[in-house]
Amino acid sequence: MNFVSLSKTYDPKPVEEKWLKSWAEANLFSSHPKDSHDSENPPFVMVIPPPNITGALHMGHALNNTLQDIMVRFWKMQGKEVNWVPGTDHGGIATQNVVEKVLKAEGKKRTDLGREAFLERMWVWKKECGNTILEQLRRMGCALDLRPENMRFTMDEMRGRAVAEAFKRLWEKGLIYRGERMINWCVRCGTALSDIEVEYEERDSKLWHIHYPLEDGKEGSVVATTRPESMLGDTAVAVHPEDKRWKHLIGKKCRLPLTQRIIPIVGDKAIDLKFGTGALKVTPAHDPVDFEIGQRHKLDLVRVIGLDGKMTSEAGESYAGLDRDACRKKVVEDLKAGGFLKDEKPYHHSVGVCYRCNQVIEPLLSEQWFLKMAGLAQKAIQASKSKKVIFYPESWERPYLNWLENIRDWCISRQIWWGHRLPVWYCVKQATVCQPMVSFDRPAQCVSCGNGELEQDPDVLDTWFSSGLWPFSVFGWPEKTKDLNYYYPTTVLITGYEILYLWVARMVMMGLEFMEKVPFKDVYIHGIVRDKHGKKMSKSLGNVVDPLVLMDKYGTDAMRFALAVQTVPGRDIQFAEESLVGARNFTNKIYNATRYILMSLDQASPEVIQKISHYVSHPQELTKAKLDLADRWILGQISQTAKSVKESMVNYRVDEAARIIYEFLWGDFCDWYVEISKLSSSGKKAEVLGIACVVLERCLGHLHPIMPFISEELEQALSEKLGLRPGYLLKKEFSDFQFALTAEDADRIRFLKNLITGIRTLRSEYNIPPGKQIEVQYAKLESRSAVILKENESLIAHLAKIQGSIAADKLPSKSLYYPLSEVTICIPQSEVDVNKLKSRLDKERSVIQQELENLSRQLEDKNFLSRAPEEKVDEIRQRHTQVKQRQSRIEEVLKNL
RNA sequence: GGGUAGUUAGCUCAGCGGCAGAGCGUUCCCUUGACAUGGGAAAGGUCACAGGUUCAAAUCCUGUACUACCCACCA
C-alpha cells in the first residue's frame, strides 16, 4: 500500500480481503499434534462452542468468537502450539424447527415428506447454513483452520460413533434407563424436553375457584386452579391435614363437576395452607406435584390431554378433540352455567414454555430414556471444588455447583427426526420378550432369539448429549488418536452463561466419565450482547444487529475492538452502534500514525533506514544510544504497556488489555511522542525514528490479537519499508525488551506535561490563537526545574507554541498567571481581564486548600504515621510539599492582582 | 421462596483500601506539513442510602432500597 498517496482515512475492506486470502493460503492456523504431551509446555487448546446451524451468526457469536480469537492469537504470539478446533452443531429441535418453517412456507409438513425425505432436506440445509457460518467466522478473522478436512460437525460419522459409544457405555453401566415418568412435553415441537429446556415466563392469567360438591350434593371444598381444563383428569382433591377449614372433609368423597366421577378428598402435607383456597385439585397425569400426590395416595391416572395438545376421549364427549385452550374456555363456561364457579381472580404467574418455540409446556406422563445424573454430578462438583476447573469470573462457580447439587435425571430422548438416532435395536418379532440391543451399526440378528428382522428406536438423542462429548469427540474419541492424546484436556472454554448448565456442566461430567479428566482447566464466561437500552436482542423486538453489516460499515477490527473493550467477564454488554464509531476512529488513528512514520522514513537516507532497521531488530541497542527525556519516557511506557497487556490477557481481562493499548497508542504515543519527535534535529533522527518504529511495531504486536487486520497490514508495511524480512505478526518473535523509567525522569515528565498543559490552558481561556507565538516568563523558578526547562526548551516551545521564554525573579505585572508547584507561568499581556483570572485562581485556591487540609491532617495523625506503610507516608509528604508550594504561589499571584 | 450481579459525570462503563477516571455527548478555540474519523482547552460527581471495620472506604463488612438475571413442583 502506498501510504503517501492513498487516502487519509483507513479503508478496511481491501485490507481485510487481502489478509484473509493470505492467511488461508499460508495455512497459518493449522496445528499438528506432537507424539507426547509436554506438561512443561502444554499446547493452548480450545474447542469452539459449535454454532447451531440454524441461520446466520448474531452478535453473541461475534463476541464469543472475538474473545476466542483474541486468546488464540495472543497465545500463539507467546510461542505456544495452539489448536482452536472448529465445528458446527446440528442443533436438534432448533434446526428442525427452522427447516419446518421453510417447509411450511411451501405449504408442506415434515410428515408429508416422511422421515427419510425430510432428513435429506435437513442435510441440504446443513450444507448451506454450515457454509454461511464458515464464511462469517472467516470474515471475522478467526484464526481457525477452516479447511473442510479440519471441520467437525456433531452429526458427522466420527461424532456419530462417539455418541453411540458413549450411549453404549452408559447403558452397560446401568446409568441409562427407560421408563415412564412425568416429563415436559412441547405440543408444538412434538417432543419431550429436559427440565433445563423449559423456560419460565411471567404471564397474566386467572385463578379460578371451583366448587367440588360432596358426593351427596352438599357443600364440599372449593379448589383454586390456573388450569381449569385439567380438572377433567382430576382424581382427587387434596387439603392439608391440619387445615381447620377443610380437614373435616378428609376421607369423604366429592363429585367432580362436569363429569360423573366420584373422587376422594385426601390429606397431604405438600399443600400450601396460604395458597388460594387451601384445597388442591389433583390431576396426577398432568402435573408433577399432583403426580407425586397421586403416588402417595394411589390415585388413578386419567389422561385428558394428548400429545397433540388436544383433549382425549377420556375428557368426555363434549370436550374430546378440543384444543387445550378452547377446552379451557368451554370448561369455564360450563362451570359458570352449572354454578360451580365461585370466583375468578386476575392472577400473574409464571408458566413453563419451550425454549425453542415458546409454546406452553405440557407436563405429562410418557415413556422416555433417562440418564442417571447423581454420580456423574458428584464428580463434576468435586472437580470444581478442588479447582481442577476454574471459573472466570469465579462468581459463576456457585450457580454451577448449585445446579449440580440439585440435579435430576436427564431425559435424553426426543421425538423428533433430526439428531442422533438412539443406538437401540429391537427384535421386530418379539419386541416385548427379547432384549433391546445397543450398537451404532445395525446388529446382524437379535441376540435373544436370532431373528434377523430388527428395528431401530425411532427417537433421537437430545442435541446436548452430543455437545457434552464435544471436547473429546472432536479429537476422534473413542479411538485413541494422537490428537486426543496431545490435545486433551483443553486449556479453556469460552462461552456464555446461558448455556452453563445445558452445555458446560454436561461437558465436565462427560469428560470425567469417559476421559477421567476435566475437559478444560478454565471456563471463561461472558455475558450476552444487548441493545443500547439493555434489552435482549430479538427478532420480534426488531433490535437485532447483524455483525456482517457492522463489519461492512466500520471494519472488522473496529467491531472486534468495540466488543473486546466493553467485555467485562460475566457481564452483559449494552451495545450501541456509536461505540463502533469510536473504534473505527481508533483504527484511523493507528493508520495515520503509521502513515506519518512511513512518510518520515520515505524522507530518510538509506543509511538512516539501515540504522533504524537495526534498532527494530535489536531494540536493546537503543538503550546505548544518546536518549532524550521523551525517548526514555516512551520506551519506559511501552515496556510497562507490554507487561500490563500480558498480565491482563493471562487473566482473561481482554477489556483491560484493549484499554491499555488504546491509551498508550493514542494518549502517549500519538499525542505526545509523535508530536515531540517532529522537532528532532537531523543528527538525532535515526534514534527518534528508530524509537518510533520500535514502539509502533510492538504496539501493533499487542494489538494484533484484538485487531488482526490493520495490525498485520501496518506491521508488514513497516517491515517492508525498513527492508526487513516480511512475516506474519502471528509468527513474529519479539525480542524481550525492557526499559525502566527512573523516578527522576518520571518526575521530569510530569513537570513538563503540567507546564505545557498550563500554558495551553491559559491560551485557551484567553483566546490566544493556538498558532500565535507568544512569550512566556517563568517566575521564581527553582534551580532544579530550571535545568529541566533548559534541557527541554525546544520541546516546550514546540508543544506549547511559545516563541521564547525568560526566567524572572519577580512576578511580572500585566500577565496571565498559572502557578505550578515549581514555577509560576506568566504570559505578559497588554490587557488582562483581572476578574476572570482572579475567579479561576480563587477556585483553584479553595480546591487546593481542601487538599492541603486533608494532607496535613494525615501528617499530623500519629496513627497514620505509625501504621501506614512508609512509602505511603513519604508519598503524602511529597505531595504535601508540592501542594504547599503551589498554594503559596497562588496566594502570591492573588496578592499581586 | 432461594441465589447472583449491579447502582460511580447527561449516556455507556472502567476503577475495588491511599489526589474520583475513560469513551460518547455538551461548551469554547483551531484547517499547524499523520489524522477534522483530527488537535487543544473547559464545564460536569454527596461514587444509591444507613451503619460498621480501618490511620485511611467509591473500594472491605452488615443492613436497606431499587434494577437485572438465574434457580425452585407457589395449584
Side-chain angles (χ1 to χ4, degrees):
Chain A
M1 189 186 275
N2 184 338
F3 286 84
V4 183
S5 60
L6 257 167
S7 75
K8 292 177 173 182
T9 49
Y10 173 62
D11 181 13
K13 261 276 168 56
V15 173
E16 288 173 16
E17 274 163 26
K18 171 171 139 196
W19 293 112
L20 284 175
K21 200 160 159 261
S22 174
W23 292 337
E25 275 164 8
N27 198 17
L28 208 57
F29 310 138
S30 65
S31 172
H32 302 286
K34 300 197 174 107
D35 287 328
S36 62
H37 196 94
D38 180 1
S39 54
E40 286 297 300
N41 184 25
F44 180 88
V45 186
M46 219 166 45
V47 292
I48 195 171
N52 278 351
I53 48 157
T54 43
L57 300 186
H58 51 64
M59 286 309 288
H61 293 112
L63 171 64
N64 179 247
N65 288 298
T66 296
L67 288 171
Q68 290 182 86
D69 194 50
I70 288 171
M71 293 323 295
V72 160
R73 287 179 185 269
F74 171 75
W75 284 108
K76 224 170 187 149
M77 291 179 79
Q78 299 296 310
K80 281 226 177 260
E81 175 64 36
V82 171
N83 189 7
W84 183 16
V85 185
T88 49
D89 195 302
H90 67 280
I93 303 166
T95 313
Q96 174 162 321
N97 283 355
V98 170
V99 175
E100 278 187 312
K101 233 176 234 168
V102 175
L103 284 179
K104 201 177 170 188
E106 297 168 12
K108 283 185 253 173
K109 284 189 293 201
R110 72 168 147 131
T111 42
D112 298 338
L113 273 71
R115 189 163 189 152
E116 220 167 291
F118 178 74
L119 287 178
E120 263 173 47
R121 270 301 282 265
M122 291 297 304
W123 281 103
V124 171
W125 169 268
K126 186 259 154 186
K127 202 172 170 198
E128 283 171 22
C129 185
N131 288 340
T132 308
I133 290 170
L134 284 193
E135 175 56 18
Q136 279 180 298
L137 291 173
R138 195 186 72 90
R139 274 285 310 272
M140 281 192 60
C142 292
L144 281 161
D145 179 358
L146 295 173
R147 289 171 305 161
E149 63 268 32
N150 193 48
M151 286 301 295
R152 280 81 162 171
F153 177 54
T154 48
M155 256 170 73
D156 61 22
E157 158 96 16
M158 206 181 261
R159 264 43 68 181
R161 286 196 178 271
V163 164
E165 180 65 21
F167 187 98
K168 189 170 178 219
R169 292 193 191 178
L170 293 166
W171 167 258
E172 282 164 358
K173 249 186 154 175
L175 292 176
I176 284 179
Y177 65 93
R178 191 185 191 192
E180 188 165 66
R181 297 291 135 98
M182 183 63 66
I183 49 94
N184 308 292
W185 183 266
C186 177
V187 166
R188 205 224 59 86
C189 299
T191 181
L193 296 172
S194 67
D195 295 326
I196 32 175
E197 288 171 303
V198 179
E199 283 174 358
Y200 290 87
E201 270 184 16
E202 301 271 300
R203 298 226 174 142
D204 280 318
S205 175
K206 295 210 168 99
L207 190 63
W208 287 274
H209 290 199
I210 309 166
H211 179 220
Y212 283 20
L214 291 181
E215 207 174 358
D216 54 14
K218 287 197 181 126
E219 192 176 321
S221 62
V222 176
V223 300
T225 184
T226 54
R227 303 200 52 196
E229 72 281 10
S230 73
M231 69 170 291
L232 301 168
D234 283 3
T235 53
V237 168
V239 299
H240 196 278
E242 255 109 76
D243 191 337
K244 286 185 191 123
R245 293 167 296 180
W246 305 117
K247 71 181 197 187
H248 64 282
L249 293 175
I250 295 172
K252 296 196 171 153
K253 294 198 165 150
C254 56
R255 186 178 299 277
L256 184 64
L258 314 183
T259 69
Q260 296 306 308
R261 199 176 305 146
I262 303 293
I263 57 174
I265 297 170
V266 300
D268 196 293
K269 285 186 176 159
I271 307 305
D272 181 356
L273 286 159
K274 285 181 290 254
F275 190 88
T277 60
L280 171 74
K281 58 186 268 319
V282 185
T283 326
H286 296 289
D287 184 281
V289 177
D290 294 12
F291 179 77
E292 282 168 26
I293 296 174
Q295 298 258 292
R296 285 198 283 274
H297 300 277
K298 302 200 167 43
L299 301 175
D300 291 336
L301 286 161
V302 180
R303 299 173 204 228
V304 290
I305 303 169
L307 298 180
D308 53 1
K310 292 194 163 71
M311 305 309 287
T312 64
S313 57
E314 295 256 34
E317 251 177 62
S318 35
Y319 306 104
L322 280 180
D323 192 77
R324 52 189 173 154
D325 294 327
C327 180
R328 175 176 299 181
K329 276 190 196 127
K330 185 158 165 53
V331 165
V332 171
E333 274 165 29
D334 292 351
L335 286 170
K336 222 178 261 177
F340 297 107
L341 196 65
K342 292 294 168 200
D343 206 352
E344 190 181 290
K345 290 181 176 162
Y347 188 57
H348 191 73
H349 68 147
S350 73
V351 291
V353 296
C354 172
Y355 81 139
R356 290 307 184 204
C357 74
N358 233 33
Q359 296 292 303
V360 175
I361 287 295
E362 205 58 57
L364 47 82
L365 215 51
S366 166
E367 179 158 76
Q368 300 287 344
W369 293 80
F370 295 89
L371 177 56
K372 285 186 192 166
M373 300 305 283
L376 296 170
Q378 214 46 50
K379 285 189 207 161
I381 289 167
Q382 275 316 309
S384 172
K385 285 191 170 163
S386 59
K387 299 290 167 207
K388 289 198 175 85
V389 178
I390 299 172
F391 286 89
Y392 293 85
E394 59 183 5
S395 58
W396 279 103
E397 185 183 353
R398 259 173 74 142
Y400 164 85
L401 287 174
N402 184 49
W403 184 76
L404 285 171
E405 278 158 3
N406 297 295
I407 204 160
R408 284 178 298 166
D409 286 355
W410 176 11
C411 175
I412 52 172
S413 46
R414 297 287 176 276
Q415 289 66 50
I416 56 169
W417 289 346
W418 178 240
H420 297 97
R421 196 94 176 245
L422 262 69
V424 180
W425 305 85
Y426 307 105
C427 176
V428 173
K429 276 194 181 157
Q430 313 179 68
T432 50
V433 184
C434 298
Q435 284 290 317
M437 288 155 280
V438 174
S439 142
F440 179 73
D441 300 304
R442 172 185 290 269
Q445 54 186 35
C446 174
V447 283
S448 306
C449 71
N451 167 43
E453 252 186 283
L454 300 172
E455 193 175 62
Q456 190 170 9
D457 194 296
D459 286 358
V460 299
L461 282 162
D462 183 356
T463 186
W464 296 104
F465 188 91
S466 57
S467 316
L469 313 174
W470 188 246
F472 44 95
S473 71
V474 293
F475 299 127
W477 184 88
E479 304 296 323
K480 289 192 167 72
T481 63
K482 206 168 152 183
D483 277 12
L484 193 61
N485 178 51
Y486 185 61
Y487 295 125
Y488 191 93
T490 69
T491 314
V492 57
L493 177 81
I494 298 181
T495 191
Y497 57 71
E498 69 275 14
I499 49 177
L500 182 65
Y501 311 131
L502 281 167
W503 192 43
V504 181
R506 264 105 177 238
M507 283 191 284
V508 176
M509 290 188 275
M510 295 298 201
L512 288 166
E513 173 67 17
F514 294 112
M515 297 296 296
E516 288 166 1
K517 272 184 199 162
V518 291
F520 27 74
K521 190 167 81 4
D522 292 347
V523 180
Y524 174 101
I525 306 277
H526 63 249
I528 56 174
V529 183
R530 295 171 177 275
D531 75 2
K532 69 165 158 185
H533 306 293
K535 292 226 164 65
K536 222 167 170 169
M537 288 187 183
S538 73
K539 275 182 199 154
S540 54
L541 282 173
N543 57 354
V544 179
V545 195
D546 182 351
L548 278 175
V549 172
L550 296 180
M551 288 188 259
D552 283 340
K553 208 163 155 191
Y554 301 96
T556 302
D557 287 323
M559 184 186 74
R560 291 171 57 122
F561 184 85
L563 286 170
V565 80
Q566 289 181 81
T567 305
V568 178
R571 299 260 299 269
D572 292 347
I573 295 178
Q574 281 200 38
F575 191 82
E577 206 174 311
E578 294 88 81
S579 68
L580 280 167
V581 175
R584 191 268 323 264
N585 294 353
F586 181 44
T587 59
N588 198 50
K589 189 76 183 174
I590 305 162
Y591 166 83
N592 273 298
T594 310
R595 194 166 71 105
Y596 171 71
I597 287 168
L598 291 169
M599 281 164 68
S600 308
L601 290 173
D602 263 348
Q603 291 156 13
S605 67
E607 294 76 47
V608 168
I609 295 280
Q610 205 175 10
K611 210 167 168 191
I612 293 169
S613 48
H614 179 73
Y615 281 138
V616 169
S617 326
H618 308 89
Q620 211 61 45
E621 302 266 310
L622 273 169
T623 57
K624 293 180 204 151
K626 187 180 170 299
L627 299 177
D628 284 345
L629 177 59
D631 302 331
R632 298 195 295 274
W633 169 72
I634 199 71
L635 289 175
Q637 290 298 96
I638 187 67
S639 297
Q640 189 50 50
T641 299
K643 245 187 182 150
S644 308
V645 166
K646 185 169 178 182
E647 205 179 301
S648 296
M649 285 291 205
V650 167
N651 292 312
Y652 301 107
R653 288 304 303 263
V654 166
D655 58 318
E656 264 177 21
R659 238 187 312 275
I660 291 165
I661 304 166
Y662 179 94
E663 276 164 15
F664 172 78
L665 195 47
W666 201 318
D668 291 345
F669 187 66
C670 292
D671 287 349
W672 289 94
Y673 192 72
V674 171
E675 288 310 317
I676 291 168
S677 77
K678 284 177 184 171
L679 54 87
S680 65
S681 61
S682 54
K684 229 190 118 227
K685 202 136 205 171
E687 277 69 37
V688 171
L689 253 181
I691 289 168
C693 288
V694 166
V695 169
L696 177 65
E697 203 206 20
R698 273 159 196 269
C699 216
L700 292 171
H702 297 314
L703 203 55
H704 185 67
I706 302 171
M707 303 177 117
F709 297 103
I710 190 169
S711 53
E712 185 84 284
E713 172 74 9
L714 300 180
E715 205 284 330
Q716 297 229 14
L718 195 62
S719 289
E720 195 193 318
K721 187 74 87 187
L722 291 171
L724 296 167
R725 203 152 51 90
Y728 296 106
L729 258 182
L730 212 48
K731 296 214 161 164
K732 191 170 177 91
E733 283 179 36
F734 286 96
S735 59
D736 193 40
F737 176 76
Q738 281 301 317
F739 188 92
L741 192 68
T742 63
E744 293 79 48
D745 278 350
D747 198 53
R748 286 185 184 112
I749 280 287
R750 182 197 54 76
F751 170 58
L752 284 173
K753 279 188 164 187
N754 281 341
L755 184 85
I756 290 158
T757 305
I759 298 169
R760 285 170 175 174
T761 302
L762 285 178
R763 270 182 179 284
S764 182
E765 273 181 13
Y766 295 91
N767 292 334
I768 302 168
K772 190 180 173 193
Q773 295 286 339
I774 51 168
E775 208 159 86
V776 165
Q777 294 191 18
Y778 299 123
K780 303 199 169 171
L781 188 55
E782 293 175 350
S783 57
R784 199 179 62 95
S785 305
V787 177
I788 305 175
L789 285 181
K790 184 82 198 142
E791 281 175 358
N792 296 281
E793 209 172 2
S794 56
L795 182 149
I796 300 163
H798 172 66
L799 292 183
K801 288 271 160 26
I802 62 177
Q803 197 175 31
S805 62
I806 52 167
D809 290 338
K810 292 199 297 194
L811 283 181
S813 56
K814 280 210 168 181
S815 279
L816 303 173
Y817 306 102
Y818 197 95
L820 297 174
S821 319
E822 300 89 341
V823 63
T824 303
I825 303 165
C826 311
I827 304 179
Q829 295 284 291
S830 50
E831 292 288 323
V832 177
D833 183 343
V834 177
N835 286 334
K836 190 174 168 187
L837 198 53
K838 200 160 180 279
S839 87
R840 196 200 69 228
L841 287 164
D842 274 337
K843 196 176 161 193
E844 279 202 42
R845 175 165 64 175
S846 68
V847 171
I848 217 164
Q849 191 77 37
Q850 188 61 50
E851 201 187 341
L852 199 61
E853 273 171 35
N854 292 343
L855 292 168
S856 302
R857 199 181 316 120
Q858 281 191 70
L859 289 173
E860 282 157 21
D861 186 342
K862 284 194 188 102
N863 285 324
F864 172 70
L865 296 174
S866 61
R867 293 189 203 186
E870 208 166 310
E871 68 260 28
K872 247 345 152 218
V873 177
D874 272 353
E875 208 182 296
I876 299 289
R877 276 210 185 95
Q878 263 182 35
R879 243 169 59 206
H880 182 266
T881 314
Q882 279 189 359
V883 171
K884 184 113 193 163
Q885 283 171 355
R886 178 131 196 260
Q887 188 203 31
S888 63
R889 283 177 187 277
I890 292 173
E891 296 293 353
E892 188 189 10
V893 170
L894 278 169
K895 221 187 319 170
N896 260 276
L897 282 177

